[in-house]
Amino acid sequence: YNKPTLFKCIKCGLIFSEFHKTKFEENYRDVIDHAYIDQINYKKLYFENFTKKILEFCSKDKSLLEIGAYYGAFGSIIKDHVKSYVGLELSEHAVKYAKEKYNLNILTYNANEYLKTSNNFDIIVMYDVIEHLDNPFQMLNDISKKLNPNGILIFTTMNMDAFVPKLMGRRYPWIIFMHKFYFTNKSIKKILEQKSLELIKIKRDTRIISMGYFMDKLAINFPIFKKLFFMIKKIKILNKLKVKVNFFDLNIYIAKKSS
Protein backbone atom coordinates (compact mmCIF):
# COMPACT_ATOMS: atom_id res chain seq x y z
CA TYR A 1 0.00 0.00 0.00
CA ASN A 2 1.05 3.59 -0.47
CA LYS A 3 3.35 5.04 2.15
CA PRO A 4 3.98 8.72 2.89
CA THR A 5 7.19 10.34 1.71
CA LEU A 6 9.55 11.22 4.54
CA PHE A 7 11.91 14.18 4.78
CA LYS A 8 14.84 14.84 7.12
CA CYS A 9 15.91 18.20 8.52
CA ILE A 10 19.64 18.67 7.88
CA LYS A 11 20.04 20.91 10.94
CA CYS A 12 18.24 18.99 13.70
CA GLY A 13 17.91 15.48 12.24
CA LEU A 14 14.13 15.38 12.70
CA ILE A 15 12.33 13.15 10.19
CA PHE A 16 8.83 14.14 9.18
CA SER A 17 6.07 12.97 6.85
CA GLU A 18 4.74 14.87 3.85
CA PHE A 19 1.53 15.10 5.93
CA HIS A 20 3.19 16.77 8.93
CA LYS A 21 1.08 19.91 8.46
CA THR A 22 -2.18 17.97 8.14
CA LYS A 23 -4.06 17.99 11.46
CA PHE A 24 -5.10 14.49 12.51
CA GLU A 25 -5.70 14.57 16.23
CA GLU A 26 -9.41 15.37 16.32
CA ASN A 27 -10.05 12.43 13.95
CA TYR A 28 -9.15 10.06 16.78
CA ARG A 29 -12.41 10.89 18.57
CA ASP A 30 -14.24 8.55 16.18
CA VAL A 31 -11.78 5.66 16.40
CA ILE A 32 -13.22 2.22 17.16
CA ASP A 33 -10.44 -0.37 17.30
CA HIS A 34 -11.85 -3.88 17.58
CA ALA A 35 -8.47 -5.38 16.61
CA TYR A 36 -6.93 -3.77 19.71
CA ILE A 37 -9.74 -5.09 21.91
CA ASP A 38 -9.15 -8.59 20.48
CA GLN A 39 -5.50 -8.22 21.51
CA ILE A 40 -6.23 -6.68 24.94
CA ASN A 41 -4.91 -9.66 26.93
CA TYR A 42 -1.64 -9.54 25.01
CA LYS A 43 -1.52 -5.76 25.50
CA LYS A 44 -1.86 -6.27 29.24
CA LEU A 45 0.99 -8.80 29.20
CA TYR A 46 3.09 -6.23 27.37
CA PHE A 47 2.20 -3.44 29.81
CA GLU A 48 3.02 -5.67 32.78
CA ASN A 49 6.50 -6.01 31.30
CA PHE A 50 6.60 -2.29 30.45
CA THR A 51 5.61 -1.40 34.02
CA LYS A 52 8.48 -3.49 35.42
CA LYS A 53 10.89 -1.44 33.29
CA ILE A 54 9.63 1.90 34.65
CA LEU A 55 8.75 0.88 38.20
CA GLU A 56 11.91 2.46 39.63
CA PHE A 57 10.37 5.86 38.80
CA CYS A 58 6.96 5.10 40.32
CA SER A 59 5.79 5.04 43.93
CA LYS A 60 2.64 5.31 46.02
CA ASP A 61 3.25 9.01 46.69
CA LYS A 62 3.39 10.04 43.01
CA SER A 63 0.73 11.27 40.62
CA LEU A 64 0.72 9.97 37.05
CA LEU A 65 -0.86 11.30 33.85
CA GLU A 66 -1.14 9.11 30.76
CA ILE A 67 -1.58 10.95 27.46
CA GLY A 68 -3.21 8.61 24.95
CA ALA A 69 -4.69 6.12 27.41
CA TYR A 70 -6.62 4.31 24.64
CA TYR A 71 -8.46 1.22 25.96
CA GLY A 72 -6.91 1.37 29.43
CA ALA A 73 -4.50 -1.57 29.30
CA PHE A 74 -1.63 0.39 30.87
CA GLY A 75 -3.81 2.35 33.27
CA SER A 76 -5.34 -0.84 34.66
CA ILE A 77 -1.86 -2.00 35.72
CA ILE A 78 -0.06 1.19 36.73
CA LYS A 79 -2.87 2.57 38.91
CA ASP A 80 -1.87 0.18 41.71
CA HIS A 81 1.70 1.51 41.73
CA VAL A 82 1.00 5.25 42.07
CA LYS A 83 -0.96 7.59 44.31
CA SER A 84 -3.25 8.81 41.54
CA TYR A 85 -3.86 8.07 37.87
CA VAL A 86 -5.44 10.28 35.21
CA GLY A 87 -5.73 9.24 31.58
CA LEU A 88 -6.45 11.40 28.54
CA GLU A 89 -7.91 9.84 25.41
CA LEU A 90 -9.75 11.30 22.41
CA SER A 91 -11.48 8.08 21.27
CA GLU A 92 -14.88 8.07 22.96
CA HIS A 93 -15.25 4.35 22.28
CA ALA A 94 -11.92 3.61 23.99
CA VAL A 95 -12.77 5.79 27.00
CA LYS A 96 -16.14 4.08 27.47
CA TYR A 97 -14.45 0.66 27.32
CA ALA A 98 -11.68 1.63 29.78
CA LYS A 99 -14.13 3.10 32.28
CA GLU A 100 -16.50 0.14 32.17
CA LYS A 101 -13.86 -2.61 32.17
CA TYR A 102 -11.17 -1.11 34.43
CA ASN A 103 -12.96 1.70 36.29
CA LEU A 104 -10.28 4.17 35.24
CA ASN A 105 -10.26 7.95 35.57
CA ILE A 106 -9.96 8.73 31.84
CA LEU A 107 -11.08 12.01 30.29
CA THR A 108 -11.91 12.81 26.66
CA TYR A 109 -9.79 15.95 26.67
CA ASN A 110 -7.33 17.24 24.11
CA ALA A 111 -4.03 17.02 26.03
CA ASN A 112 -2.85 20.52 25.15
CA GLU A 113 -6.12 22.00 26.42
CA TYR A 114 -6.11 19.87 29.56
CA LEU A 115 -2.53 20.81 30.47
CA LYS A 116 -3.39 24.51 30.39
CA THR A 117 -5.47 24.22 33.56
CA SER A 118 -4.46 20.92 35.18
CA ASN A 119 -2.46 20.36 38.33
CA ASN A 120 1.18 19.34 38.04
CA PHE A 121 2.19 15.68 37.87
CA ASP A 122 5.16 13.65 39.06
CA ILE A 123 5.08 11.29 36.07
CA ILE A 124 3.69 11.74 32.55
CA VAL A 125 3.54 8.77 30.17
CA MET A 126 2.93 8.68 26.40
CA TYR A 127 2.85 5.23 24.82
CA ASP A 128 3.23 5.37 21.01
CA VAL A 129 1.74 8.86 20.94
CA ILE A 130 4.43 11.39 20.06
CA GLU A 131 4.68 10.31 16.41
CA HIS A 132 0.92 10.93 15.95
CA LEU A 133 0.79 14.45 17.38
CA ASP A 134 0.00 17.52 15.29
CA ASN A 135 2.63 19.43 17.26
CA PRO A 136 4.87 17.21 19.42
CA PHE A 137 7.15 20.15 20.24
CA GLN A 138 4.33 22.16 21.81
CA MET A 139 3.24 19.04 23.67
CA LEU A 140 6.72 18.52 25.13
CA ASN A 141 6.81 22.17 26.12
CA ASP A 142 3.44 21.89 27.89
CA ILE A 143 4.51 18.64 29.57
CA SER A 144 7.72 20.22 30.86
CA LYS A 145 5.73 23.02 32.48
CA LYS A 146 3.35 20.58 34.16
CA LEU A 147 5.95 18.25 35.64
CA ASN A 148 6.81 18.74 39.29
CA PRO A 149 10.48 19.42 40.14
CA ASN A 150 12.46 16.29 39.19
CA GLY A 151 9.33 15.01 37.46
CA ILE A 152 9.66 12.19 34.93
CA LEU A 153 8.45 11.91 31.32
CA ILE A 154 8.28 8.40 29.87
CA PHE A 155 7.39 7.80 26.24
CA THR A 156 7.84 5.21 23.49
CA THR A 157 8.55 5.64 19.80
CA MET A 158 10.70 4.34 16.94
CA ASN A 159 14.42 4.98 16.65
CA MET A 160 14.93 5.58 12.93
CA ASP A 161 18.69 5.21 13.32
CA ALA A 162 18.26 1.56 14.26
CA PHE A 163 19.35 -1.20 11.87
CA VAL A 164 15.88 -2.45 10.84
CA PRO A 165 14.39 0.87 9.61
CA LYS A 166 17.64 1.62 7.77
CA LEU A 167 17.63 -1.84 6.18
CA MET A 168 13.95 -1.82 5.18
CA GLY A 169 13.74 1.78 4.01
CA ARG A 170 10.24 2.58 2.73
CA ARG A 171 9.12 -0.94 3.59
CA TYR A 172 9.63 -0.29 7.30
CA PRO A 173 6.20 -1.20 8.79
CA TRP A 174 5.98 1.84 11.09
CA ILE A 175 6.07 4.29 8.18
CA ILE A 176 2.33 4.84 7.96
CA PHE A 177 -0.06 7.65 7.13
CA MET A 178 -0.95 8.44 10.76
CA HIS A 179 2.68 8.75 11.87
CA LYS A 180 3.71 12.33 11.20
CA PHE A 181 7.08 12.61 12.98
CA TYR A 182 9.97 10.16 13.29
CA PHE A 183 12.90 10.42 15.65
CA THR A 184 16.39 9.17 16.41
CA ASN A 185 18.05 8.94 19.81
CA LYS A 186 20.10 12.00 18.89
CA SER A 187 17.16 14.14 17.73
CA ILE A 188 15.09 13.18 20.79
CA LYS A 189 17.89 14.19 23.15
CA LYS A 190 18.23 17.55 21.38
CA ILE A 191 14.48 18.29 21.36
CA LEU A 192 14.11 17.35 25.03
CA GLU A 193 16.97 19.63 26.03
CA GLN A 194 15.22 22.53 24.30
CA LYS A 195 12.17 21.85 26.53
CA SER A 196 14.18 21.71 29.80
CA LEU A 197 14.04 17.92 29.87
CA GLU A 198 17.10 15.72 30.31
CA LEU A 199 17.16 12.30 28.65
CA ILE A 200 18.39 10.02 31.44
CA LYS A 201 17.70 6.52 30.13
CA ILE A 202 16.78 4.55 26.99
CA LYS A 203 15.36 1.03 27.34
CA ARG A 204 14.45 -1.57 24.74
CA ASP A 205 10.73 -1.88 24.15
CA THR A 206 9.80 -5.52 23.57
CA ARG A 207 6.24 -5.93 22.30
CA ILE A 208 3.99 -8.90 23.08
CA ILE A 209 1.38 -9.88 20.48
CA SER A 210 -0.47 -12.99 19.29
CA MET A 211 0.95 -15.09 16.46
CA GLY A 212 -2.23 -14.35 14.45
CA TYR A 213 -1.72 -10.60 14.77
CA PHE A 214 1.95 -11.02 13.84
CA MET A 215 0.96 -12.95 10.71
CA ASP A 216 -1.47 -10.16 9.72
CA LYS A 217 1.31 -7.57 9.97
CA LEU A 218 3.73 -9.74 7.99
CA ALA A 219 1.11 -10.26 5.26
CA ILE A 220 0.76 -6.49 4.84
CA ASN A 221 4.49 -5.87 4.59
CA PHE A 222 5.43 -9.01 2.66
CA PRO A 223 2.42 -9.67 0.38
CA ILE A 224 4.38 -12.21 -1.68
CA PHE A 225 4.10 -14.60 1.30
CA LYS A 226 0.51 -13.67 2.19
CA LYS A 227 -0.92 -17.17 1.56
CA LEU A 228 1.68 -18.76 3.81
CA PHE A 229 0.98 -16.31 6.65
CA PHE A 230 -2.78 -16.89 6.36
CA MET A 231 -2.26 -20.66 6.42
CA ILE A 232 -0.28 -20.36 9.67
CA LYS A 233 -2.98 -18.10 11.12
CA LYS A 234 -5.65 -20.74 10.47
CA ILE A 235 -3.94 -23.16 12.87
CA LYS A 236 -5.73 -22.26 16.12
CA ILE A 237 -2.96 -23.43 18.45
CA LEU A 238 -0.41 -21.28 16.60
CA ASN A 239 -2.78 -18.35 16.16
CA LYS A 240 -3.02 -17.70 19.91
CA LEU A 241 0.64 -18.21 20.74
CA LYS A 242 2.34 -15.33 22.54
CA VAL A 243 5.04 -13.72 20.42
CA LYS A 244 7.72 -11.36 21.74
CA VAL A 245 8.83 -8.87 19.10
CA ASN A 246 12.01 -6.85 19.46
CA PHE A 247 13.94 -5.65 16.42
CA PHE A 248 15.84 -3.06 18.50
CA ASP A 249 14.00 -0.21 16.74
CA LEU A 250 11.38 0.54 19.42
CA ASN A 251 12.56 2.31 22.55
CA ILE A 252 11.32 3.56 25.90
CA TYR A 253 12.67 7.07 26.53
CA ILE A 254 12.87 8.37 30.08
CA ALA A 255 13.53 12.06 30.70
CA LYS A 256 13.80 14.13 33.87
CA LYS A 257 12.72 17.73 34.30
CA SER A 258 15.86 19.86 34.47
CA SER A 259 16.32 21.79 37.68
Side-chain angles (χ1 to χ4, degrees), residues 4 23 56 74 119 130 200 211 239 244:
K23 296 192 179 299
E56 62 185 288
F74 174 63
N119 294 325
I130 195 167
I200 58 173
M211 177 67 79
N239 191 37
K244 290 186 175 183

Side-chain angles (χ1 to χ4, degrees), residues 177-190:
F177 178 71
M178 300 305 283
H179 289 171
K180 299 172 67 174
F181 295 94
Y182 302 78
F183 304 88
T184 64
N185 292 350
K186 188 176 179 180
S187 66
I188 280 176
K189 185 175 185 294
K190 189 172 184 177

